[in-house]
């Protein structure tokens, strides 16, 4: 599995924690920054991750900002992206089982690194259930026009 990851300045620290976790788990990823703590605009950093997942270059994406909200809104504008904003382990599993989410968004100002890492592990380790959920995903795809 290949992951694309980015943040804005509000998510820099948590992004580094998540990259350390991915290193520990031996999961390959590409870091789309930012590489400084300067203030940046989150859509600029959501875009390469969302485009990379939508094109199939990456299997999944992880986006982090202060709340996770801006990143998730931006990513969900890209066709083919189902970005889930998650701050608990139950939702991390549920959004994989039911929504086949392909990007995970989290907020550094909302949760601590310990919970965030548990969320990432649950999200990466849970398969889509298909069946009736696949029909619903098809209907979401239809909404994209
Ligand atoms: C940046 O201050 C903050 O607005 C951003 O990280 C994010 O929370 C937006 O949704």
């Amino acid at each position: 599995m290949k992951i694309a990851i980015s943040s804005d300045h509000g998510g820099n620290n948590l992004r580094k924690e998540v990259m350390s976790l991915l290193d520990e788990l031996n999961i390959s990823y590409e870091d789309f920054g930012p590489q400084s703590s300067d203030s940046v605009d989150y859509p600029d950093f959501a875009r390469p991750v969302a485009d990379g997942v939508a094109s199939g270059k990456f299997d999944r994406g992880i986006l982090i900002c202060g709340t996770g909200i801006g990143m998730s809104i931006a990513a969900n504008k890209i066709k083919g992206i189902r970005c889930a904003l998650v701050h608990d382990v139950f939702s991390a599993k549920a959004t994989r089982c039911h929504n086949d989410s392909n990007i995970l968004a989290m907020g550094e100002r909302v949760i601590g690194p310990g919970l965030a890492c548990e969320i990432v592990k649950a999200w990466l380790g849970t398969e889509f259930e298909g069946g009736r959920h696949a029909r619903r995903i098809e209907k979401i795809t239809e909404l994209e026009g």
Side-chain angles (χ1 to χ4, degrees), residues 58-131:
F58 297 96
D59 301 298
R60 307 262 195 98
I62 299 176
L63 293 171
I64 303 168
C65 62
T67 59
I69 297 171
M71 282 294 205
S72 59
I73 291 172
N76 278 316
K77 297 292 180 193
I78 304 293
K79 206 170 178 178
I81 293 304
R82 292 179 299 281
C83 176
L85 172 59
V86 171
H87 291 125
D88 67 277
V89 172
F90 172 80
S91 301
K93 291 180 185 168
T95 189
R96 284 291 311 132
C97 290
H98 291 193
N99 315 125
D100 197 17
S101 54
N102 47 17
I103 297 186
L104 170 69
M106 296 184 292
E108 179 182 317
R109 296 173 187 159
V110 182
I111 51 170
L115 176 55
C117 288
E118 290 307 309
I119 288 170
V120 169
K121 283 193 265 183
W123 186 73
L124 290 177
T126 305
E127 290 302 317
F128 178 48
E129 279 178 12

Side-chain angles (χ1 to χ4, degrees), residues 20-39:
S20 298
L21 173 70
L22 297 175
D23 287 333
E24 269 172 43
L25 298 174
N26 226 359
I27 293 174
S28 148
Y29 64 88
E30 187 166 333
D31 175 23
F32 286 90
Q35 303 308 338
S36 84
S37 54
D38 295 349
S39 180

